[in-house]
Amino acid sequence: MLQLLDHVRVILINTTHPGNIGATARAMKNMGVSELVLVAPKRYPADEADWRAAGAKDVLENAVIVNSVEEAIEGCGLVLGTSARERKIPWPLFDPRESAERAQQSLQAGNKVAIMFGREDRGLTNEELQKCHFHVHIPTNEAYSSLNLGAAVQVLCYEMRMALLGEHPLSGKTLDRWDHPLANAADVERMMVHLEQVLIDVDFLESGSTNQVMTRLRRLFTRQQLDAMEVNILRGILRSTQKALVSRDGGSIAE
Amino acid sequence: MLQLLDHVRVILINTTHPGNIGATARAMKNMGVSELVLVAPKRYPADEADWRAAGAKDVLENAVIVNSVEEAIEGCGLVLGTSARERKIPWPLFDPRESAERAQQSLQAGNKVAIMFGREDRGLTNEELQKCHFHVHIPTNEAYSSLNLGAAVQVLCYEMRMALLGEHPLSGKTLDRWDHPLANAADVERMMVHLEQVLIDVDFLESGSTNQVMTRLRRLFTRQQLDAMEVNILRGILRSTQKALVSRDGGSIAE
């Protein structure tokens, strides 16, 4: 099962210190994880990244640099976000071990899994966390919870490896028997944009307003880990709704 | 049980790079471990140790420096030694998780537990390993097994903390901390009926037809327990959609 580690992607967002990128590469390779995506690193490439990577320079050389979280999670059926603190609207939250068990099930069902790590000082933004199916919290000492970035990557990759080594029996095999593959993150994102437009079209939301409703809907549709067929159905409903509105007033509404 | 972490001692032997001593202090404090013993460090104290320790300088300040392993393990009822490879004379060998479980039992029985980490390049000597009750092996990628010292300390201290927290400290807590009560089944059922009507109104479904779509939508909305607020929002969307349709064709559609 260890070859499934090839389908695990580590994403670092807006990393400030290149040494942490190097330490991440080393921690990943030690655990057999190789796919690294960097979202707009502050200073990279950098010598410090290379020497902290030690024998894991190949992970750095193969790292992909992108500008947005959307690009970073492209193609992933399950997206985990590391979170140091509680948020206003709570999201499903698991420790690294349970997260790895859930990720393992998803990997075995044929999905790609992304683990997102935020900035050294501020972690992930709320917007980034809302793109995640669930959040991972490393249960640190409350009196001193600021884990070094490389150390956090080490713990998560270690748990991924332990899960795939089969130390712990699966608690539920539901996803193994699912009838459709999970939707990929980009398709779900497009659906959320479409949904927001329809909610404006039907005067449920005001255009340009920001409120908790979209956040709650986003949470609802991410924590469920939608499959591809479900996203097709939901998109079909949104299109039908727009067509029905247009046919009744003869106007035109952009999809 | 977390206060038992006060009876865990981390021992670093002949450490070459002071940065690793600092990283060790940070990893320890993050996990609630505070007792550090350094056996003949090559270069210490050192600025690099201080800055890598970040907010864990108190662990460094309280660290004890000794000259021998015997002094370092003084008073400990259980001694674990980290080992990267198999030895000629095999010793009991466990992964970090099982090691932590055994350490936990020993801590609960009133013992002090020491975890020894060897040199960056050569680990522990055979003589040092033979002073251990058992050996701990972190199951690394065979193609690249040289774990950074701070990373190894992080993994072991993390497992110690997890063992003392009891398995899956966060598991099941998500719903305890959820911001709204779960919706009751009757409300969800009414929502499903309402949804089906709207899908007919927007010509997504034909009236009276039976197909898999409603079954799939039902599965989607039941497999992740909706909270009461989410059901309110979804009902609101359905009502808005119907109103928008009515206002555009002047007709009347029953809710």
Coordinates of all heavy atoms in Angstrom, one line a residue, chain A residues 122-194:
Chain A
R122 N 0.7 32.8 10.4 CA -0.7 33.0 10.5 C -1.5 31.7 10.0 O -2.7 31.7 10.0 CB -1.2 34.2 9.7 CG -0.8 35.5 10.3 CD -1.2 36.7 9.4 NE -0.6 36.6 8.1 CZ -1.3 36.5 7.0 NH1 -2.6 36.4 7.0 NH2 -0.7 36.4 5.8
G123 N -0.8 30.7 9.6 CA -1.5 29.5 9.1 C -2.3 29.7 7.8 O -1.9 30.6 7.0
L124 N -3.4 29.0 7.7 CA -4.2 29.2 6.5 C -5.3 30.2 6.8 O -5.7 30.4 7.9 CB -4.9 27.8 6.2 CG -4.0 26.7 5.8 CD1 -4.7 25.4 5.8 CD2 -3.4 26.9 4.4
T125 N -5.7 30.9 5.7 CA -6.8 31.9 5.9 C -8.1 31.2 6.0 O -8.2 30.0 5.6 CB -6.9 32.8 4.7 OG1 -7.2 32.1 3.5 CG2 -5.5 33.6 4.4
N126 N -9.1 31.9 6.4 CA -10.5 31.2 6.5 C -10.9 30.8 5.1 O -11.4 29.7 4.9 CB -11.5 32.2 7.0 CG -11.4 32.3 8.5 OD1 -10.9 31.4 9.2 ND2 -11.7 33.5 9.1
E127 N -10.6 31.6 4.1 CA -11.0 31.2 2.7 C -10.3 29.9 2.3 O -10.9 29.1 1.7 CB -10.6 32.4 1.8 CG -11.4 32.4 0.5 CD -10.8 33.4 -0.5 OE1 -10.0 34.3 -0.1 OE2 -11.1 33.2 -1.7
E128 N -9.0 29.8 2.6 CA -8.3 28.6 2.3 C -8.9 27.4 3.0 O -9.0 26.3 2.5 CB -6.8 28.8 2.6 CG -6.1 29.7 1.6 CD -4.8 30.3 2.1 OE1 -4.5 30.1 3.3 OE2 -4.2 31.1 1.4
L129 N -9.1 27.6 4.3 CA -9.7 26.5 5.1 C -11.0 26.0 4.6 O -11.4 24.9 4.8 CB -9.7 26.9 6.6 CG -8.4 26.9 7.3 CD1 -8.5 27.7 8.6 CD2 -7.9 25.5 7.6
Q130 N -11.8 26.9 4.0 CA -13.1 26.6 3.6 C -13.0 25.7 2.3 O -14.0 25.2 1.8 CB -13.9 27.8 3.4 CG -14.4 28.4 4.7 CD -14.9 29.8 4.6 OE1 -15.3 30.2 3.5 NE2 -15.0 30.5 5.7
K131 N -11.9 25.7 1.7 CA -11.7 24.8 0.5 C -11.4 23.3 0.9 O -11.2 22.5 0.1 CB -10.6 25.3 -0.4 CG -11.0 26.7 -1.1 CD -10.0 27.0 -2.2 CE -10.2 28.5 -2.6 NZ -11.5 28.8 -3.0
C132 N -11.3 23.1 2.2 CA -10.9 21.8 2.7 C -12.1 20.9 3.1 O -13.1 21.5 3.6 CB -10.0 22.0 3.9 SG -8.5 22.9 3.6
H133 N -11.9 19.6 2.9 CA -13.0 18.7 3.3 C -13.0 18.6 4.8 O -14.0 18.5 5.4 CB -12.8 17.4 2.7 CG -13.0 17.4 1.2 ND1 -11.9 17.6 0.3 CD2 -14.1 17.4 0.4 CE1 -12.4 17.6 -0.9 NE2 -13.7 17.6 -0.9
F134 N -11.8 18.6 5.4 CA -11.8 18.6 6.8 C -10.4 19.2 7.3 O -9.5 19.4 6.5 CB -12.1 17.3 7.5 CG -11.1 16.2 7.2 CD1 -9.9 16.0 7.9 CD2 -11.4 15.2 6.2 CE1 -9.1 15.0 7.6 CE2 -10.6 14.2 5.9 CZ -9.4 14.1 6.6
H135 N -10.4 19.6 8.6 CA -9.2 20.2 9.1 C -8.5 19.2 10.0 O -9.1 18.4 10.6 CB -9.6 21.5 9.9 CG -10.2 22.5 9.0 ND1 -10.9 23.6 9.6 CD2 -10.3 22.7 7.7 CE1 -11.4 24.3 8.6 NE2 -11.0 23.8 7.4
V136 N -7.2 19.4 10.0 CA -6.3 18.6 10.9 C -5.7 19.5 12.0 O -5.2 20.5 11.7 CB -5.1 18.0 10.1 CG1 -4.4 17.0 10.9 CG2 -5.6 17.4 8.8
H137 N -5.8 19.0 13.2 CA -5.2 19.8 14.3 C -4.2 18.8 15.0 O -4.6 17.8 15.4 CB -6.2 20.3 15.2 CG -5.6 21.0 16.4 ND1 -5.0 22.2 16.3 CD2 -5.5 20.6 17.7 CE1 -4.5 22.5 17.5 NE2 -4.9 21.6 18.4
I138 N -3.0 19.3 15.1 CA -2.0 18.5 15.8 C -2.1 18.9 17.3 O -2.1 20.1 17.6 CB -0.5 18.8 15.3 CG1 -0.4 18.4 13.8 CG2 0.5 18.1 16.2 CD1 0.9 18.8 13.2
P139 N -2.4 17.9 18.2 CA -2.8 18.3 19.5 C -1.6 18.7 20.4 O -1.0 18.0 21.1 CB -3.4 17.0 20.1 CG -2.8 15.9 19.3 CD -2.5 16.5 17.9
T140 N -1.2 20.0 20.2 CA 0.0 20.5 20.9 C -0.3 20.9 22.3 O -1.5 21.1 22.7 CB 0.5 21.7 20.1 OG1 -0.6 22.6 19.8 CG2 1.3 21.3 18.8
N141 N 0.8 21.2 23.0 CA 0.7 21.8 24.3 C 0.0 23.2 24.2 O 0.5 24.0 23.5 CB 2.2 21.9 24.8 CG 2.4 22.6 26.1 OD1 1.4 23.0 26.8 ND2 3.6 22.8 26.4
E142 N -1.0 23.4 25.0 CA -1.7 24.6 24.8 C -0.8 25.8 25.2 O -1.0 26.9 24.7 CB -3.0 24.6 25.7 CG -4.1 23.9 24.9 CD -5.3 23.6 25.9 OE1 -5.6 24.4 26.8 OE2 -5.9 22.6 25.6
A143 N 0.1 25.6 26.1 CA 1.0 26.7 26.6 C 2.0 27.1 25.5 O 2.7 28.1 25.6 CB 1.7 26.3 27.9
Y144 N 2.2 26.2 24.5 CA 3.2 26.5 23.5 C 2.8 25.7 22.2 O 3.3 24.6 22.0 CB 4.6 26.2 23.9 CG 5.7 26.5 22.9 CD1 5.8 27.8 22.4 CD2 6.5 25.6 22.5 CE1 6.7 28.1 21.5 CE2 7.5 25.9 21.5 CZ 7.6 27.2 21.1 OH 8.6 27.5 20.2
S145 N 1.9 26.3 21.4 CA 1.4 25.5 20.3 C 2.0 25.8 19.0 O 1.6 25.1 18.0 CB -0.1 25.7 20.3 OG -0.4 27.1 20.0
S146 N 2.9 26.7 18.9 CA 3.4 27.1 17.6 C 4.4 26.1 17.1 O 5.6 26.2 17.4 CB 3.9 28.5 17.5 OG 5.3 28.6 17.9
L147 N 3.9 25.1 16.3 CA 4.8 24.1 15.8 C 5.6 24.6 14.6 O 5.0 25.4 13.8 CB 3.8 23.0 15.3 CG 4.3 21.5 15.3 CD1 4.6 21.1 16.7 CD2 3.2 20.7 14.8
N148 N 6.8 24.3 14.5 CA 7.6 24.6 13.3 C 7.0 24.0 12.1 O 6.5 22.9 12.2 CB 9.1 24.1 13.6 CG 9.9 24.1 12.3 OD1 10.0 23.1 11.6 ND2 10.4 25.2 12.0
L149 N 7.0 24.7 11.0 CA 6.4 24.2 9.8 C 6.9 22.8 9.4 O 6.1 21.9 9.1 CB 6.5 25.2 8.6 CG 6.0 24.8 7.3 CD1 4.5 24.5 7.4 CD2 6.2 26.0 6.3
G150 N 8.2 22.6 9.4 CA 8.8 21.3 9.0 C 8.4 20.2 9.9 O 8.1 19.1 9.5
A151 N 8.2 20.6 11.2 CA 7.8 19.6 12.2 C 6.3 19.2 12.0 O 6.0 18.0 12.1 CB 7.9 20.2 13.6
A152 N 5.5 20.1 11.6 CA 4.1 19.8 11.3 C 4.0 18.9 10.1 O 3.3 17.9 10.1 CB 3.3 21.1 11.0
V153 N 4.8 19.2 9.1 CA 4.8 18.3 7.9 C 5.3 16.9 8.3 O 4.8 15.9 7.8 CB 5.8 18.9 6.8 CG1 5.9 17.9 5.6 CG2 5.2 20.2 6.3
Q154 N 6.4 16.9 9.1 CA 6.9 15.6 9.6 C 5.8 14.7 10.2 O 5.7 13.5 9.9 CB 8.1 15.8 10.6 CG 8.7 14.6 11.0 CD 9.5 13.9 9.9 OE1 10.4 14.4 9.4 NE2 9.0 12.7 9.5
V155 N 5.1 15.3 11.1 CA 4.0 14.6 11.9 C 3.0 14.1 10.9 O 2.6 12.9 10.9 CB 3.4 15.4 13.0 CG1 2.1 14.8 13.5 CG2 4.4 15.7 14.1
L156 N 2.5 14.9 10.0 CA 1.5 14.5 9.1 C 1.9 13.4 8.1 O 1.2 12.4 7.9 CB 0.9 15.7 8.3 CG -0.3 16.4 8.8 CD1 -1.5 15.5 8.8 CD2 -0.1 16.9 10.2
C157 N 3.1 13.6 7.6 CA 3.7 12.6 6.6 C 3.9 11.3 7.4 O 3.7 10.2 6.8 CB 4.9 13.1 5.9 SG 4.6 14.4 4.7
Y158 N 4.4 11.4 8.6 CA 4.6 10.2 9.4 C 3.3 9.4 9.6 O 3.2 8.2 9.4 CB 5.2 10.6 10.8 CG 5.1 9.5 11.8 CD1 5.9 8.4 11.9 CD2 4.1 9.7 12.9 CE1 5.8 7.4 12.9 CE2 4.0 8.7 13.9 CZ 4.8 7.6 13.9 OH 4.6 6.7 14.9
E159 N 2.2 10.2 9.9 CA 0.9 9.5 10.1 C 0.4 8.9 8.8 O -0.2 7.8 8.8 CB -0.1 10.5 10.7 CG 0.1 10.7 12.2 CD -0.3 9.5 13.1 OE1 -0.5 8.4 12.6 OE2 -0.3 9.7 14.3
M160 N 0.7 9.6 7.7 CA 0.2 9.0 6.4 C 0.9 7.7 6.2 O 0.3 6.7 5.8 CB 0.6 10.0 5.3 CG -0.4 11.2 5.1 SD -2.1 10.8 5.0 CE -2.1 9.5 3.7
R161 N 2.2 7.7 6.4 CA 3.0 6.5 6.2 C 2.5 5.3 7.1 O 2.4 4.2 6.7 CB 4.5 6.7 6.4 CG 5.4 5.5 6.0 CD 6.9 5.9 6.1 NE 7.6 4.7 5.7 CZ 7.9 4.4 4.5 NH1 7.5 5.2 3.5 NH2 8.6 3.4 4.2
M162 N 2.3 5.7 8.4 CA 1.9 4.7 9.4 C 0.5 4.1 8.9 O 0.3 2.9 9.0 CB 1.7 5.3 10.8 CG 3.0 5.6 11.5 SD 4.0 4.1 11.9 CE 3.1 3.7 13.5
A163 N -0.4 5.0 8.5 CA -1.7 4.5 8.0 C -1.6 3.5 6.9 O -2.2 2.5 6.8 CB -2.6 5.7 7.6
L164 N -0.7 3.8 5.9 CA -0.5 3.0 4.8 C 0.3 1.7 5.0 O 0.2 0.8 4.3 CB 0.1 3.8 3.6 CG -0.9 4.8 3.0 CD1 -0.2 5.8 2.1 CD2 -2.1 4.2 2.3
L165 N 1.1 1.8 6.1 CA 1.8 0.6 6.5 C 0.8 -0.5 7.1 O 1.2 -1.6 7.4 CB 2.9 0.9 7.6 CG 4.2 1.4 7.0 CD1 5.0 2.0 8.2 CD2 4.9 0.3 6.3
G166 N -0.4 0.0 7.4 CA -1.4 -0.9 7.9 C -1.4 -1.2 9.3 O -1.8 -2.3 9.8
E167 N -0.9 -0.3 10.1 CA -0.8 -0.5 11.6 C -2.2 -0.6 12.2 O -2.5 -1.2 13.2 CB 0.0 0.6 12.3 CG 1.4 0.6 11.9 CD 2.2 -0.5 12.6 OE1 1.8 -0.9 13.7 OE2 3.1 -1.0 12.0
H168 N -3.1 0.2 11.5 CA -4.4 0.3 12.1 C -5.5 -0.1 11.2 O -5.6 0.4 10.1 CB -4.6 1.8 12.6 CG -3.7 2.1 13.7 ND1 -4.1 1.9 15.0 CD2 -2.5 2.5 13.8 CE1 -3.1 2.2 15.8 NE2 -2.1 2.6 15.1
P169 N -6.3 -1.0 11.6 CA -7.4 -1.5 10.7 C -8.4 -0.4 10.4 O -8.6 0.5 11.2 CB -8.1 -2.6 11.5 CG -7.7 -2.3 12.9 CD -6.4 -1.6 12.9
L170 N -8.9 -0.4 9.2 CA -9.9 0.6 8.8 C -11.1 0.5 9.7 O -11.6 -0.6 10.0 CB -10.3 0.3 7.4 CG -9.3 0.6 6.3 CD1 -9.9 0.5 5.0 CD2 -8.7 2.0 6.5
S171 N -11.6 1.6 10.1 CA -12.9 1.6 10.9 C -14.1 1.5 10.0 O -15.1 0.9 10.3 CB -13.0 2.9 11.7 OG -12.6 4.0 11.0
G172 N -14.1 2.1 8.8 CA -15.2 2.0 7.9 C -14.7 1.9 6.5 O -13.9 2.7 6.1
K173 N -15.3 1.0 5.8 CA -14.8 0.8 4.4 C -15.7 1.5 3.4 O -15.7 1.2 2.2 CB -14.6 -0.7 4.1 CG -13.5 -1.3 4.9 CD -13.1 -2.6 4.3 CE -11.8 -3.1 5.0 NZ -11.3 -4.3 4.4
T174 N -16.6 2.3 3.9 CA -17.6 2.9 3.0 C -17.0 3.4 1.7 O -17.6 3.1 0.6 CB -18.2 4.1 3.7 OG1 -18.4 3.8 5.1 CG2 -19.5 4.5 3.1
L175 N -15.9 4.1 1.7 CA -15.5 4.7 0.5 C -14.9 3.7 -0.5 O -15.0 3.9 -1.7 CB -14.4 5.8 0.8 CG -15.0 7.1 1.3 CD1 -13.8 8.1 1.7 CD2 -15.9 7.8 0.3
D176 N -14.5 2.6 0.0 CA -14.1 1.5 -0.9 C -15.2 1.0 -1.9 O -14.9 0.6 -3.0 CB -13.6 0.3 -0.2 CG -12.3 0.5 0.5 OD1 -11.7 1.5 0.2 OD2 -11.9 -0.3 1.4
R177 N -16.4 1.1 -1.3 CA -17.5 0.5 -2.1 C -18.3 1.6 -2.8 O -19.4 1.3 -3.2 CB -18.4 -0.3 -1.1 CG -17.7 -1.5 -0.5 CD -18.7 -2.2 0.4 NE -19.5 -1.1 1.0 CZ -19.8 -1.1 2.3 NH1 -19.4 -2.1 3.1 NH2 -20.4 -0.2 2.8
W178 N -17.9 2.8 -2.8 CA -18.6 3.9 -3.4 C -18.8 3.7 -4.9 O -17.9 3.1 -5.5 CB -17.9 5.2 -3.0 CG -18.9 6.4 -3.0 CD1 -19.0 7.4 -3.9 CD2 -19.8 6.6 -2.0 NE1 -20.0 8.3 -3.5 CE2 -20.5 7.8 -2.3 CE3 -20.2 6.0 -0.8 CZ2 -21.5 8.4 -1.5 CZ3 -21.2 6.6 0.0 CH2 -21.9 7.7 -0.4
D179 N -19.9 4.2 -5.4 CA -20.2 3.9 -6.8 C -19.6 4.9 -7.8 O -19.5 4.6 -9.0 CB -21.7 3.7 -7.1 CG -22.5 4.9 -6.5 OD1 -21.9 5.7 -5.8 OD2 -23.7 4.9 -6.7
H180 N -19.1 6.0 -7.4 CA -18.5 7.0 -8.3 C -17.3 7.6 -7.6 O -17.2 7.6 -6.4 CB -19.5 8.2 -8.6 CG -20.6 7.7 -9.5 ND1 -20.4 7.6 -10.8 CD2 -21.9 7.4 -9.2 CE1 -21.6 7.2 -11.3 NE2 -22.5 7.1 -10.4
P181 N -16.3 8.0 -8.4 CA -15.1 8.6 -7.8 C -15.5 9.9 -7.2 O -16.5 10.5 -7.6 CB -14.2 8.8 -9.0 CG -15.0 8.8 -10.2 CD -16.2 7.9 -9.8
L182 N -14.7 10.4 -6.2 CA -14.9 11.7 -5.6 C -14.7 12.8 -6.7 O -13.9 12.6 -7.6 CB -14.0 11.9 -4.5 CG -14.2 11.1 -3.2 CD1 -13.2 11.6 -2.1 CD2 -15.6 11.2 -2.7
A183 N -15.5 13.8 -6.5 CA -15.4 15.0 -7.4 C -14.0 15.6 -7.1 O -13.5 15.6 -6.0 CB -16.5 16.0 -7.1
N184 N -13.4 16.2 -8.2 CA -12.1 16.9 -7.8 C -12.4 18.3 -7.4 O -13.5 18.8 -7.6 CB -11.1 16.7 -8.9 CG -11.3 17.6 -10.1 OD1 -11.5 18.8 -9.9 ND2 -11.3 17.1 -11.3
A185 N -11.5 18.8 -6.7 CA -11.7 20.1 -6.0 C -12.1 21.2 -6.9 O -12.9 22.1 -6.6 CB -10.4 20.5 -5.2
A186 N -11.5 21.3 -8.1 CA -11.8 22.4 -9.1 C -13.3 22.3 -9.5 O -14.0 23.3 -9.7 CB -10.9 22.3 -10.3
D187 N -13.8 21.1 -9.7 CA -15.2 21.0 -10.1 C -16.2 21.4 -9.0 O -17.2 22.0 -9.3 CB -15.5 19.5 -10.5 CG -14.9 19.1 -11.8 OD1 -14.6 20.0 -12.6 OD2 -14.7 17.9 -12.0
V188 N -15.8 21.1 -7.8 CA -16.6 21.5 -6.6 C -16.5 23.1 -6.5 O -17.6 23.7 -6.3 CB -16.1 20.9 -5.3 CG1 -16.9 21.4 -4.1 CG2 -16.3 19.4 -5.4
E189 N -15.4 23.6 -6.8 CA -15.2 25.1 -6.7 C -16.1 25.7 -7.8 O -16.8 26.7 -7.5 CB -13.7 25.4 -6.9 CG -13.4 26.9 -6.7 CD -13.8 27.4 -5.4 OE1 -13.7 26.7 -4.4 OE2 -14.3 28.6 -5.3
R190 N -16.1 25.2 -9.0 CA -16.9 25.8 -10.0 C -18.4 25.7 -9.7 O -19.2 26.6 -9.9 CB -16.6 25.0 -11.4 CG -15.4 25.6 -12.1 CD -15.3 25.0 -13.5 NE -14.8 23.6 -13.5 CZ -13.5 23.3 -13.5 NH1 -12.6 24.2 -13.5 NH2 -13.2 22.0 -13.4
M191 N -18.7 24.6 -9.0 CA -20.1 24.4 -8.6 C -20.5 25.5 -7.6 O -21.6 26.1 -7.6 CB -20.3 23.0 -8.0 CG -21.8 22.8 -7.7 SD -22.0 21.3 -6.6 CE -21.7 22.1 -5.0
M192 N -19.6 25.8 -6.6 CA -19.9 26.8 -5.6 C -20.1 28.2 -6.2 O -20.9 28.9 -5.8 CB -18.8 26.8 -4.5 CG -18.7 25.5 -3.7 SD -20.2 25.0 -2.9 CE -20.6 26.4 -1.8
V193 N -19.2 28.5 -7.2 CA -19.3 29.8 -7.9 C -20.7 29.8 -8.6 O -21.4 30.8 -8.5 CB -18.2 29.9 -8.9 CG1 -18.4 31.2 -9.8 CG2 -16.9 30.0 -8.1
H194 N -21.1 28.8 -9.3 CA -22.3 28.7 -10.0 C -23.5 28.8 -9.0 O -24.4 29.6 -9.2 CB -22.4 27.3 -10.8 CG -23.5 27.2 -11.8 ND1 -23.6 26.2 -12.6 CD2 -24.5 28.1 -12.1 CE1 -24.7 26.3 -13.4 NE2 -25.2 27.5 -13.1

